[in-house]
């Protein structure tokens, strides 16, 4: 039985700035949702950024949306499943829905004493770990940074690219680390289909994929680009639901999908997209949104499903944070262990939560 929902806010600095085609992050501003039940409570982390530049969602807006629209839908017998059904009339706002869903799921799975991994159908106890490398100040910095991550054991490297910083980045990394390195690039929607011939130069480097080259809503452009280049096109920002995933695959706008639970409205929808891709033999991998341990734990559970055949953007906590909100996730021989305790399997450490503020407690009415 759900008794109340708490919102927790705070900030954790990144160990180094993270630059993408749309901006630079130096810290993570956080919103956690806590579902307090009669026996157990559960946590969910909102993946939205401070600014609406990765997608149209942003953190302050999520706080409002959760408070004003989502929490009022809850009743004491709400479950993650009933919440998602009742939130269907609310358009978009996937990241807001996802963090409420995760908190409820964590709480109810703790009541049922099963792990999120088991609930979702995980078949692995550890997952291969990739690292996302932000745009650096120079090629030398890039090669050095990639070398450091490889020395730590990351098995796959993703380079952030943008117009003016693309082909030569890939060339430099291939030259230094060879053709066997699992390598991919992510443009975060920075190109247009007019850049197709330019992007075709990437074909020479045997990349695993190019992620989200064109704007989120340019499905037609992705279809055209995917025909023109040999590098597999993977969609991230464009995939906001099971339906958008199915359409993108049917129209051959992409051949690989990055699944991010926050971007698709939660783990229940993420699982549906996984199942669709698994059925069709389409490779998927789990994306990341610089999550702290709460979101990272839940992503690990998802990434342990059998269709996640490519290493994802689930790095060790230390990739981003000197101190994580939870016990840190560590890299062991290129893998990260999937939590196997009940629910998401982790909680905020009390000494870390002390630096956070509980900004709201909303009582849930009995029904
Ligand atoms: O969690 O390691 C991570 C981040 C991986 O590159 C990453 N995420 O477009 O895939 C992506 C980006 C989105 C976050 S940019 C602030
Ligand atoms: Mg991406």
């Amino acid at each position: 039985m759900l008794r109340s929902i708490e919102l927790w806010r705070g900030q954790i600095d990144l160990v180094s700035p993270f630059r993408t085609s749309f901006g630079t992050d130096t810290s993570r501003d956080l919103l956690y949702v806590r579902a307090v039940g009669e026996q157990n409570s559960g946590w969910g982390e909102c993946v939205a950024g401070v600014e609406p530049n990765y997608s149209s969602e942003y953190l302050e807006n999520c706080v409002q949306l959760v408070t004003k629209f989502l929490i009022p839908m809850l009743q004491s017998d709400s479950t993650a499943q009933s919440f998602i059904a009742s939130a269907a009339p609310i358009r978009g706002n996937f990241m807001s829905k996802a963090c409420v869903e995760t908190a409820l799921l964590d709480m109810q799975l703790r009541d049922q004493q099963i792990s999120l991994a088991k609930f979702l159908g995980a078949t692995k106890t550890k997952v291969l770990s990739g690292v996302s490398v932000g745009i650096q100040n120079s090629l030398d910095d890039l090669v050095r940074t990639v070398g450091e991550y490889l020395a730590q054991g990351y098995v796959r490297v993703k380079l952030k690219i943008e117009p003016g910083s693309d082909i030569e980045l890939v060339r430099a990394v291939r030259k230094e680390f060879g053709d066997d390195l699992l390598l991919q690039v992510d443009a975060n929607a920075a190109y247009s289909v007019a850049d197709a011939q330019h992007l075709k130069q990437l074909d020479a480097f045997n990349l695993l994929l190019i992620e989200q080259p064109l704007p989120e809503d340019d499905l037609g452009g992705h279809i055209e680009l995917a025909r023109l280049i040999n590098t597999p096109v993977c969609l991230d920002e464009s995939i906001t639901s099971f339906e958008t995933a199915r359409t993108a695959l049917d129209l051959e706008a992409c051949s690989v999908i990055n699944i991010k639970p926050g971007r698709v409205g939660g783990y229940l929808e993420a699982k549906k997209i996984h199942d669709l891709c698994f059925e069709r033999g389409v490779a998927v991998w789990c994306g990341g949104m610089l999550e702290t341990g709460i979101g990272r734990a839940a992503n690990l559970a998802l990434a342990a499903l059998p269709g996640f055949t490519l290493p994802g953007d689930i790095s060790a906590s230390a990739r981003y944070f000197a101190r994580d909100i939870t016990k840190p996730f560590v890299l062991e021989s290129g893998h990260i262990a999937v939590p196997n305790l009940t629910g998401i399997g982790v909680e905020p450490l009390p000494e870390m939560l002390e630096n956070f503020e509980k900004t709201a407690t909303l009582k849930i009415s009995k029904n």
Side-chain angles (χ1 to χ4, degrees):
M1 284 301 219
L2 180 64
R3 285 196 160 151
S4 62
I5 297 281
E6 298 170 359
L7 302 189
W8 289 78
R9 303 287 306 275
Q11 198 188 51
I12 306 186
D13 287 338
L14 301 182
V15 290
S16 56
F18 184 61
R19 184 173 150 213
T20 65
S21 62
F22 57 74
T24 304
D25 285 337
T26 55
S27 67
R28 274 289 284 152
D29 273 59
L30 293 153
L31 162 66
Y32 297 120
V33 174
R34 183 177 183 221
V36 182
E38 253 154 39
Q39 285 129 40
N40 291 293
S41 53
W43 291 88
E45 173 174 344
C46 182
V47 301
V50 170
E51 293 173 33
N53 45 21
Y54 165 81
S55 73
S56 62
E57 294 191 78
Y58 64 99
L59 202 63
E60 287 309 321
N61 191 244
C62 293
V63 173
Q64 275 227 351
L65 195 108
V66 166
T67 312
K68 205 170 160 190
F69 296 103
L70 300 183
I71 297 176
M73 293 179 162
L74 297 172
Q75 296 183 310
S76 55
D77 62 353
S78 291
T79 60
Q81 292 84 348
S82 73
F83 161 69
I84 286 300
S86 60
I90 297 200
R91 307 290 179 212
N93 293 290
F94 308 102
M95 296 175 180
S96 297
K97 290 182 188 176
C99 61
V100 174
E101 184 212 78
T102 313
L104 294 170
L105 206 47
D106 186 26
M107 182 190 85
Q108 77 201 47
L109 293 177
R110 284 172 196 263
D111 286 349
Q112 295 164 19
Q113 300 195 340
I114 73 164
S115 68
L116 179 61
K118 180 149 195 240
F119 167 78
L120 292 173
T123 53
K124 290 172 264 188
T125 57
K126 58 182 183 175
V127 300
L128 282 168
S129 179
V131 64
S132 174
V133 182
I135 298 168
Q136 307 289 312
N137 292 328
S138 68
L139 287 180
D140 284 349
D141 282 358
L142 176 67
V143 167
R144 186 176 36 76
T145 305
V146 169
E148 286 167 7
Y149 288 132
L150 293 177
Q152 290 168 31
Y154 289 106
V155 301
R156 187 230 64 193
V157 171
K158 159 165 140 181
L159 305 180
K160 290 288 191 180
I161 59 167
E162 65 183 359
S165 291
D166 44 32
I167 315 296
E168 67 288 357
L169 272 60
V170 175
R171 183 177 291 119
V173 169
R174 270 281 179 248
K175 183 160 176 256
E176 184 72 19
F177 303 104
D179 291 339
D180 290 343
L181 171 66
L182 298 181
L183 187 64
Q184 62 192 54
V185 293
D186 185 1
N188 287 108
Y191 294 86
S192 85
V193 74
D195 298 312
Q197 286 310 322
H198 176 74
L199 293 173
K200 193 161 173 57
Q201 296 175 74
L202 291 171
D203 287 353
F205 300 101
N206 191 28
L207 299 178
L208 285 169
L209 54 92
I210 177 171
E211 183 179 345
Q212 197 69 42
L214 314 180
E216 178 180 332
D217 53 5
D218 192 4
L219 209 57
H222 283 108
I223 295 168
E224 208 175 310
L225 182 70
R227 282 190 199 132
L228 285 167
I229 66 174
N230 299 326
T231 306
V233 172
C234 169
L235 290 176
D236 173 359
E237 285 90 328
S238 297
I239 306 298
T240 53
S241 62
F242 174 86
E243 289 305 335
T244 51
R246 185 165 63 186
T247 305
L249 292 174
D250 285 349
L251 298 177
E252 297 180 9
C254 66
S255 53
V256 183
I257 288 182
N258 164 339
I259 302 185
K260 283 182 186 165
R263 196 197 60 226
V264 303
Y267 289 85
L268 302 174
E269 190 79 4
K271 154 102 173 136
K272 281 168 61 182
I273 298 173
H274 161 273
D275 293 352
L276 169 78
C277 293
F278 191 51
E279 225 177 79
R280 294 189 180 193
V282 171
V284 301
W285 54 283
C286 187
M289 292 295 286
L290 297 86
E291 287 90 346
T292 64
I294 298 293
R296 203 163 289 270
N299 284 349
L300 282 161
L302 180 72
L305 269 62
F308 285 80
T309 51
L310 292 168
D313 281 345
I314 312 182
S315 306
S317 296
R319 156 71 182 90
Y320 291 111
F321 311 109
R323 290 184 70 195
D324 204 337
I325 185 94
T326 60
K327 199 169 155 285
F329 286 98
V330 294
L331 198 57
E332 284 171 279
S333 315
H335 293 80
I336 301 189
V338 177
N340 57 8
L341 302 176
T342 61
I344 63 169
V346 297
E347 277 130 1
L349 297 168
E351 67 270 26
M352 286 299 289
L353 208 52
E354 261 174 30
N355 307 318
F356 281 64
E357 194 189 344
K358 183 165 38 165
T359 56
T361 305
L362 299 127
K363 291 249 169 300
I364 303 299
S365 57
K366 281 229 165 85
N367 56 328

